[in-house]
Amino acid sequence: MHLLLYFGLALLTLAAWHGIALYRSYKQAKSIGLPILISPTGTLNPLWIILYKALPVIPLLQRLPFNLGRWAKYTYMGWQFDDKHAIHEELGPAFVLCTPGLNEVVIADPSAVHTVLNRRKEFIKPSMMYEPLNVFGRNLDAVEGETWQRHRKLTAPNFNERVSGSVWSEATQQAHQMLQEWIACGAKGSKNVVDDTASLALHVLTYAGFGIRYTFKDAQQKLDPPHRLTYRDALLLVLRNFTLLVMVPMKLMTWPIMPRNIRKVGEACSEFKLYMKEMVEAEKKSAADRSDSERSNLLSALVHASEAVSEAGQEKGSRVRSGLADDELYGNLFIYNMAGHESTANTIATSIAYLAAAPRWQKWVHEEVRQVTAEQSTEPQNWVYEDVYPRLRRCQAIQLETLRLHGSTVFLPKSTGNSSCTLAIAGKEHVIPPSSFVVTNSQALHCDPKTWGADALEWRPNRWIRVKNPGSPVEEELVEPAAGTFVGWADGPRACPGKKFSQVEFAGVMAVLFGRHSVKPRREDGESEDQAAGRVYRMIEDSAITAVTLQMKSPRDVALIWEEVL
């Protein structure tokens, strides 16, 4: 009896605290002057995340009478992809999601978005979301202020043309090998597009990032003691289990009492860190003997830049750290891998799916690749990067259109930190209180009919192409979207430094796949071509943020058949 009484009092106390916190948040939200949507929980509440992932509570809550459960539609990770632009059609270019924890100002106004992403000192990255990225050491993506400037100065220049050349050569070679695997599947087709493009992206990273090369099919590597996993396998395990890394401290993962799968991830983390340590030490020893032309991977470029700055600082007698500490080198090398693997792999796989459902766009790409590579080698891996890549504008348009509708990140979180910030939204100034989230709804931006037209929800890659000189031989150029309307790689000073890396990799893969081949979905019994295409589109739309990025939930539902184009 006493136990029930104490339990009841605890629930009442929790409810009272919850109510008071929500009331305080509401007062703050009202002062902003934007439409308000009240929710009993925020999107980052760990208990709420566990609950809706374990049980089908969201559809149940939405069925409550009088719209009482409406909030559930806007509080799960990735809701923006499902909603597209609908909530902003109703509430306008911005609204406040009012929760007991903190208020989330959700914006889809291009001018306001451009401002938020360019005023990095006022709108900072929320530490509660980005601190987990420091699992192997502090890195460019998770630091602020002067520390960020130091990291940026040393990391951004490493994504140079020498590295782009390495990306191109490896991407075209891997794509050629992957295509041969798919062709060999014949009429039964392949259901491994997502897994295979993930392997391709991983192999491009290991070569362009660290100078380690694998063939697409046979990714074996000789193990040297004390290693028990190859570099590739260790990295893959770490990347696929990043959510686990956030939840369980790395030191605890290898405890004997832990389940075997967690101990395996812990072992992969130790192996990956040991590989990074060995490679950084080896690079430091050989850096002085290498010429600039030999530094064609991210590791060598990063270590050289850091060492050069450190030596310059020591000569000047500076006590302020100028280079990167070893753990910062590890942290940045990890973030290179994490940011460049899933995002690029997903974009390639999703683009292939879109193209499989739309033969006319395959012909469009095929026409460009044939024209651009007419005087190149018949072997794609021998295509000259400087001659071919800049002219593959249609291939680049494919990537842009996929990122517009199915980007790896559907929102970009920022925070006002400890100070209030003034932000103009739709021509009117609003004061955002301290400790507020400011969330760029990138999916809504990319689906806004005011920007993209009545067919904003249609995948149409030629919207990114402009003919320069009508009436003369066809010359095409890429359309530059207005500021704040497209944020596929974010925007402003904290835009993705690996943008060119991903563009070169993507264009190389598309050119190889669709230069002399086409793809189509394998039809089911009695299914028409249009019905098969519809099944592909439904597979694409059935996507969610499964761990870190947006991904198709059931990519093996459709088998894809590859054929040579005569």
Side-chain angles (χ1 to χ4, degrees), residues 111-311:
S111 178
V113 165
H114 183 68
T115 299
V116 168
L117 298 182
N118 278 274
R119 281 161 49 182
R120 67 171 182 85
K121 293 182 179 179
E122 296 173 70
F123 298 98
I124 61 176
K125 290 193 171 185
S127 59
M128 65 187 299
M129 291 189 72
Y130 285 88
E131 184 60 33
L133 298 180
N134 290 323
V135 62
F136 287 101
R138 289 162 69 79
N139 59 77
L140 177 69
D141 212 29
V143 294
E144 292 287 346
E146 292 182 2
T147 305
W148 173 82
Q149 290 179 312
R150 177 168 58 88
H151 280 250
R152 177 77 176 183
K153 179 180 179 182
L154 292 170
T155 57
N158 301 324
F159 291 91
N160 52 44
E161 284 301 285
R162 284 193 299 275
V163 170
S164 292
S166 296
V167 172
W168 174 263
S169 66
E170 191 64 13
T172 51
Q173 182 163 298
Q174 291 285 330
H176 177 70
Q177 294 171 7
M178 180 174 69
L179 179 60
Q180 301 314 304
E181 292 290 313
W182 289 346
I183 293 170
C185 293
K188 70 177 183 180
S190 172
K191 293 185 175 182
N192 297 327
V193 172
V194 167
D195 290 340
D196 287 346
T197 53
S199 293
L200 178 147
L202 187 69
H203 293 167
V204 172
L205 272 170
T206 58
Y207 179 69
F210 302 95
I212 301 173
R213 172 166 273 159
Y214 299 97
T215 59
F216 177 77
K217 186 177 181 180
D218 184 14
Q220 297 301 312
Q221 174 187 336
K222 181 182 177 182
L223 284 176
D224 296 318
H227 290 291
R228 292 192 290 177
L229 290 172
T230 66
Y231 171 76
R232 174 192 182 278
D233 292 342
L235 174 58
L236 193 59
L237 265 174
V238 169
L239 294 176
R240 285 181 173 174
N241 293 276
F242 178 71
T243 304
L244 187 63
L245 284 176
V246 173
M247 299 170 64
V248 182
M250 201 184 303
K251 293 180 180 179
L252 302 183
M253 284 186 173
T254 52
W255 281 16
I257 60 171
M258 286 292 183
R260 186 176 179 277
N261 63 322
I262 293 181
R263 282 187 277 119
K264 189 69 175 175
V265 175
E267 180 186 355
C269 290
S270 300
E271 287 277 300
F272 177 59
K273 191 163 186 176
L274 180 58
Y275 273 116
M276 286 196 293
K277 182 179 180 181
E278 291 171 347
M279 288 188 287
V280 166
E281 288 177 352
E283 192 61 42
K284 284 181 178 180
K285 290 178 182 177
S286 63
D289 301 325
R290 289 194 181 187
S291 64
D292 284 347
S293 61
E294 293 177 300
R295 299 189 183 99
S296 58
N297 64 64
L298 293 174
L299 169 66
S300 60
L302 180 61
V303 171
H304 173 72
S306 180
E307 291 293 285
V309 170
S310 294
E311 290 171 7

Side-chain angles (χ1 to χ4, degrees), residues 13 131 201 273 279 382 390-391 406 409 465 486 515-516 565:
T13 303
E131 184 60 33
K273 191 163 186 176
M279 288 188 287
N382 294 326
R391 299 164 62 197
H406 200 280
T409 54
I465 295 293
F486 179 75
R516 293 178 176 83
V565 177

